[in-house]
Amino acid sequence: MNIGILQSAGIAGTVIECALSTPDNDDVFTATIYSKDNGNDKNVGADLKFGNISGIVVAPGSATEFSFDSAMTMYVAERMRLATVFPDKSAEELMESFDRDVLAERINKVWMSLKRDFLVSMPRIALLAPDGMTEDVADTLAAVVAGLSEQGIGVFGPYNTNDYIDRQQFLHFDATLAILDGEAKEVLGAVTDESRTKLLIGIPMVMASTEYGATNDFDASGIVQPAYALRKAVYTVIDVVRCREAYDEGHSDPLPKLYHERRDDSEKVRFAVRKQNNAPENGN
């Protein structure tokens, strides 16, 4: 499997070299480094389209950011997966206008990602309650959860953020969904570290990055942790690619039903009155 890694100038090259220095890498994947220095930074889209690379990872220290209208960011760590419904909204904006359709659509997106990207057969999603939640917002959350549950989507909550962390309730769910960015950061800071991976879900390609963006200040003496985060992001992309291939193969061209129930639904049969047998038994 070939994974594309986007490299910026400066220390990022050293981080990539450190991350890929493990001898067993060649048995699992090969890496194509995209950078201006290599003269191939414009080839990423074409290589994805024609299958030359299976996924993309943005290296630590890179200023490259991808944004898609349909995408959500899912944080993938050792003990939890977490996404945010309204990452760009403030609490005041949310309380003024709460879009239940967007909430339901994004819960569906996380649920589908768990099934296809992680092969979770029956996903369980925990919904966190935003701080300062009004009664109207609470009723809306409860109604959305109830409606999706009736459709067979395993979403539960809303849960108080502090109780959710203190009682380690996240261990009982396949993903956590925060309404606002504040609750998401609170949970991430308490449960995970900076080696977590940022996976884009809801898009056709597999793309991930680390928490070490262009604004992070690290030098050659402190590249071990960013290199470890990059390595985890690469293997997350590999796992997701393999899961998607397995899921798509298992759900493409399914076998037809082997047995069909024989029944006649015509009105003649439905409204027919069964005749009673009034013949005497034993000649009586």
Side-chain angles (χ1 to χ4, degrees):
M1 185 181 298
N2 191 16
I3 303 298
I5 300 179
L6 302 187
Q7 171 190 339
S8 64
I11 197 67
T14 308
V15 174
I16 295 173
E17 183 179 350
C18 179
L20 304 183
S21 61
T22 305
D24 60 355
N25 280 342
D26 293 340
D27 297 333
V28 180
F29 71 94
T30 57
T32 299
I33 312 300
Y34 293 91
S35 67
K36 289 184 178 180
D37 293 340
N38 293 341
N40 63 350
D41 56 315
K42 305 296 184 182
N43 300 340
V44 180
D47 285 349
L48 268 175
K49 180 179 179 180
F50 294 107
N52 296 328
I53 55 176
S54 300
I56 297 176
V57 177
V58 180
S62 176
T64 304
E65 290 289 344
F66 293 95
S67 61
F68 301 88
D69 292 338
S70 60
M72 291 179 66
T73 297
M74 178 182 286
Y75 293 89
V76 181
E78 293 292 339
R79 298 197 294 170
M80 76 179 315
R81 308 179 188 97
L82 183 142
T84 308
V85 179
F86 302 108
D88 301 324
K89 274 193 174 185
S90 65
E92 292 76 14
E93 292 172 334
L94 178 70
M95 300 309 165
E96 289 177 1
S97 60
F98 192 97
D99 195 330
R100 61 184 299 166
D101 293 333
V102 173
L103 173 61
E105 181 262 332
R106 292 182 180 175
I107 292 175
N108 269 289
K109 189 170 294 184
V110 171
W111 187 76
M112 192 62 218
S113 174
L114 291 171
K115 290 175 68 70
R116 185 169 181 246
D117 296 342
F118 300 95
L119 294 185
V120 181
S121 58
M122 294 294 290
R124 291 168 52 88
I125 302 171
L127 185 65
L128 299 183
D131 291 338
M133 179 173 60
T134 63
E135 185 175 348
D136 290 341
V137 171
D139 292 341
T140 301
L141 292 179
V144 171
V145 168
L148 292 176
S149 297
E150 290 179 358
Q151 300 174 27
I153 296 176
V155 58
F156 305 88
Y159 295 95
N160 177 272
T161 303
N162 292 329
D163 291 342
Y164 189 75
I165 296 172
D166 295 340
R167 299 177 182 177
Q168 295 190 342
Q169 292 175 302
F170 53 85
L171 297 176
H172 303 289
F173 296 94
D174 301 298
T176 303
L177 194 56
I179 300 297
L180 297 173
D181 196 48
E183 287 79 35
K185 289 181 178 178
E186 183 178 351
V187 175
L188 289 172
V191 179
T192 70
D193 57 27
E194 289 186 327
S195 65
R196 55 185 173 260
T197 298
K198 295 164 62 177
L199 176 70
L200 287 183
I201 63 173
I203 56 176
M205 65 284 292
V206 182
M207 306 181 69
S209 61
T210 70
E211 284 282 70
Y212 294 89
T215 58
N216 285 93
D217 185 18
F218 57 88
D219 53 27
S221 63
I223 65 171
V224 174
Q225 191 66 17
Y228 174 67
L230 173 59
R231 184 172 173 81
K232 286 185 65 176
V234 169
Y235 276 94
T236 298
V237 167
I238 292 172
D239 288 343
V240 170
V241 169
R242 289 174 174 171
C243 287
R244 285 190 180 185
E245 290 175 350
Y247 182 89
D248 293 343
E249 181 180 2
H251 288 78
S252 64
D253 194 19
L255 292 173
K257 292 177 65 175
L258 297 180
Y259 301 98
H260 296 274
E261 183 180 355
R262 295 184 61 185
R263 62 183 182 182
D264 190 344
D265 292 330
S266 64
E267 291 188 359
K268 183 177 180 180
V269 174
R270 288 172 57 198
F271 296 105
V273 178
R274 180 178 296 180
K275 294 182 179 180
Q276 295 182 354
N277 186 5
N278 296 322
E281 296 182 2
N282 299 327
N284 295 327

